[in-house]
Amino acid sequence: GELEESGGGLVQAGDSLRLSCAASTRRVISSTIGWFRQAPGAEREFVAAISRSVGSTDYAESVKGRFSISRDYATNTVYLQMNSLKPEDTGIYYCAGATSLTITYYSRDYDTWGQGTQVTVSS
């Protein structure tokens, strides 16, 4: 696939994880990249994104101050640094690419998706 996530795992509350979203090409990683997550039985929800143009970032309220998204063009990778993890952060985390110039919060606007990586936070 064009996007591939890695870095998930089982951690305890308060721990940190860094997820990676590796792109097959610079073109893909240069697009607006979003992270979404889906807990069992729940809808897929927006977590964070970095825009295609100026690299602005935004986060869901539930992760602001704890998560940080960044992009490394040298490795065609977008990272999601997750600190102070909580049990409610548990889910499958997906990265996705969109052609929009600015951040979009809706999964329907993203047309390229990775397979996901599982994050489990125990209390």
Side-chain angles (χ1 to χ4, degrees):
E2 292 188 294
L3 293 172
E4 184 173 356
E5 304 92 339
S6 62
L10 171 63
V11 297
Q12 294 187 326
D15 285 351
S16 298
L17 276 176
R18 188 178 75 160
L19 304 184
S20 299
C21 173
S24 56
T25 66
R26 185 182 174 101
R27 178 191 63 79
V28 174
I29 207 65
S30 297
S31 59
T32 292
I33 300 292
W35 283 95
F36 290 78
R37 67 187 180 191
Q38 188 164 19
E43 299 270 325
R44 191 171 296 188
E45 64 174 356
F46 171 82
V47 175
I50 185 165
S51 72
R52 171 181 163 190
S53 54
V54 298
S56 58
T57 60
D58 204 1
Y59 303 87
E61 284 297 323
S62 60
V63 307
K64 276 184 180 176
R66 299 188 297 122
F67 289 15
S68 177
I69 188 170
S70 61
R71 174 160 45 208
D72 183 350
Y73 286 109
T75 58
N76 284 352
T77 304
V78 167
Y79 299 100
L80 184 68
Q81 177 68 43
M82 306 188 297
N83 300 325
S84 302
L85 283 161
K86 304 176 180 180
E88 51 264 44
D89 294 319
T90 293
I92 300 175
Y93 282 68
Y94 300 90
C95 67
T99 57
S100 62
L101 285 174
T102 56
I103 288 171
T104 174
Y105 304 91
Y106 305 100
S107 59
R108 64 174 181 263
D109 293 331
Y110 291 79
D111 51 19
T112 304
W113 290 82
Q115 294 298 307
T117 185
Q118 177 71 47
V119 172
T120 304
V121 185
S122 63
S123 57

